[in-house]
């Protein structure tokens, strides 16, 4: 049994810690949300009252926080993990964050004599619950190997990505492709429908043809085709438009830093911004289909060209 500290018990951190409890570990969990704490406690997490108690006696501490700003504030500064923890404790950040914040924490951790890896995940809430997440881990080889042992109960795939920040780089690029695929699926789906194709017949073709993608198979944005897709449930979120906008924003920030043109990424960012501006940021990201078919409330003829993107580069 290991003693595992955990900060961030939300949609992902909640079910991830539940799997670590099932694997026999003691989890010392902390969150700012009482709702998150109550749910984690019901899953067997030992709730503690501060980051200082999270790190106390911990073999490893994980963080699973929304954005780079949260990660910086939890690790850095006087009350941060690097000031509180013993250098014997391994530190793992599994949040999806910007490269610059990941680099800042790597550098501060190394300067303080800590072992730290960036280890973002793919697989969503369902993968977190099933313990089938893909972890992409950046950092020193020895630290990555050490972190992998603790990660096993939460994962199906553990992939070392190289040096510091490469886990975040992999995650950012993967999600850029995911959301471009989602937008292309929305356009193909609506056009096929308007050309008189049966929705299921078209899906049956595309899913075994060159139009196939994970987004098509899992998030098909027209109802009545993929049972579990949010389009069948009034776009109740499996992955919010706000989170999608954040992730595409991370790719755009990384592209600007590397002088990489992202024509498709910029366009998809505008689609999510239009959803958010219409007050739908908390709905599922596949709702961008309504920018294609023109049914989005407050949108004039599917205004996918809305300017003034609100994506956050964190
Ligand atoms: P979430 O908002 O549900 O959970 C984040 C939790 O962090 C919240 O409970 C919040 O109260 C807590 N928190 C914020 N600041 C804190 C602080 N200073 N101290 C303690 N707790 C604090 O988000 P989530 O869906 O669990 O996502 C977490 C990360 O995982 C994000 O970076 C997200 O992009 C990434 N991710 C999410 C999914 C998904 O499907 N939801 C999939 C893959 C990756």
């Amino acid at each position: 049994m290991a003693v595992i500290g955990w900060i961030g018990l939300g949609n992902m951190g909640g079910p991830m810690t539940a799997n670590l409890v099932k694997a026999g570990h003691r989890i010392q969990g902390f969150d700012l949300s009482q709702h998150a704490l109550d749910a984690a406690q019901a899953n067997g997490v030992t709730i503690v009252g501060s980051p200082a108690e999270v790190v106390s006696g911990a073999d490893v501490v994980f963080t699973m926080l929304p954005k780079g700003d949260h990660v910086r504030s939890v690790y850095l500064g006087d009350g941060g993990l690097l000031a509180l923890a013993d250098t014997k404790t391994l530190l793992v950040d599994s949040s999806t964050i910007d490269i610059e914040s990941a680099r800042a924490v790597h550098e501060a951790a190394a300067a303080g004599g800590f072992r730290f890896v960036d280890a973002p995940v793919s697989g969503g809430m369902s993968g977190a619950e099933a313990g089938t997440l893909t972890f992409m881990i950046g950092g020193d080889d020895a630290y990555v190997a050490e972190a992998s042992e603790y990660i096993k109960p939460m994962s199906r795939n553990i992939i070392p990505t190289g040096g510091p920040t490469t886990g975040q780089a992999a995650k950012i690029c993967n999600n850029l492709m995911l959301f471009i695929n989602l937008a292309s699926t929305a356009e193909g789906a609506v056009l096929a429908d308007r050309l008189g194709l049966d929705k299921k017949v078209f899906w049956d073709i595309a899913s075994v043809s060159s139009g196939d993608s994970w987004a098509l198979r899992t998030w098909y944005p027209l109802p009545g085709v993929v049972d579990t897709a949010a389009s069948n449930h009034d776009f109740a979120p499996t992955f919010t438009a706000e989170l999608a906008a954040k992730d595409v924003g991370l790719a755009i920030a990384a592209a600007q830093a590397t002088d990489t043109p992202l024509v498709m990424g910029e366009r998809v960012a505008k689609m999510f911004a239009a959803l958010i501006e219409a007050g739908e940021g908390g709905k599922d990201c596949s709702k961008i289909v309504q920018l294609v078919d023109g049914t989005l409330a407050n949108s004039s003829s599917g205004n996918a060209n809305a300017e003034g993107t609100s994506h956050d580069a964190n």
Side-chain angles (χ1 to χ4, degrees):
M1 184 199 81
V3 176
I4 301 179
W6 195 288
I7 299 183
L9 295 161
N11 289 331
M12 294 296 287
M16 290 165 81
T17 49
N19 282 320
L20 290 173
V21 170
K22 279 184 208 150
H25 300 304
R26 171 188 160 86
I27 312 300
Q28 301 176 166
F30 176 70
D31 197 292
L32 300 177
S33 148
Q34 193 56 47
H35 173 73
L37 292 173
D38 291 345
Q41 190 164 33
N43 286 330
V45 171
T46 302
I47 300 304
V48 296
S50 69
E53 291 174 71
V54 168
V55 302
S56 176
D59 299 299
V60 57
V61 171
F62 284 83
T63 45
M64 192 56 169
L65 298 160
K67 297 181 181 179
D69 287 347
H70 304 94
V71 171
R72 284 183 193 248
S73 78
V74 163
Y75 279 88
L76 308 177
D78 288 345
L81 293 180
L82 299 183
L84 297 170
D86 191 300
T87 52
K88 287 194 204 114
T89 303
L90 175 70
L91 303 173
V92 180
D93 179 39
S94 283
S95 325
T96 301
I97 64 168
D98 59 291
I99 304 278
E100 286 314 310
S101 294
R103 183 171 293 123
V105 177
H106 266 287
E107 287 176 359
F114 284 94
R115 302 171 338 279
F116 172 76
V117 294
D118 53 296
V121 304
S122 181
M125 287 164 60
S126 56
E129 277 156 23
T132 58
L133 293 169
T134 293
F135 278 74
M136 33 213 115
I137 317 182
D140 183 282
D141 288 349
Y143 310 165
V144 171
E146 197 185 345
S148 298
E149 289 305 310
Y150 298 109
I151 284 169
K152 276 179 187 163
M154 302 183 279
S155 63
R156 179 182 287 155
N157 301 297
I158 302 176
I159 304 180
T161 47
T165 76
T166 56
Q168 295 297 348
K171 172 69 181 168
I172 288 168
C173 297
N174 178 78
N175 279 25
L176 171 69
M177 291 158 62
L178 163 66
F179 293 117
I180 292 171
N181 284 339
L182 175 63
S184 74
T185 300
E187 291 191 353
V190 171
L191 183 60
D193 192 43
R194 290 185 179 177
L195 293 174
L197 278 152
D198 180 87
K199 281 185 275 201
K200 183 74 169 68
V201 167
F202 176 64
W203 186 91
D204 286 344
I205 294 165
S207 64
V208 293
S209 301
S210 40
D212 183 35
S213 68
W214 186 94
L216 177 126
R217 272 176 276 115
T218 317
W219 284 353
Y220 202 67
L222 294 183
V225 182
V226 174
D227 287 346
T228 51
S231 52
N232 289 309
H233 309 285
D234 194 26
F235 295 101
T238 64
F239 198 108
T240 65
E242 267 161 17
L243 218 45
K246 180 198 84 163
D247 285 0
V248 179
L250 294 177
I252 291 171
Q256 283 163 351
T258 54
D259 207 13
T260 309
L262 291 192
V263 176
M264 310 297 287
E266 297 268 6
R267 176 49 61 109
V268 173
K270 286 178 180 168
M271 295 177 86
F272 290 127
L275 262 194
I276 292 167
E277 280 157 24
E280 304 285 4
K283 288 283 194 173
D284 194 75
C285 56
S286 60
K287 205 168 200 272
I288 56 171
V289 73
Q290 295 187 342
L291 295 160
V292 183
D293 69 14
T295 59
L296 184 70
N298 303 327
S299 84
S300 54
S301 66
N303 182 15
N305 296 319
E307 295 302 331
T309 59
S310 61
H311 55 263
D312 188 326
N314 280 315

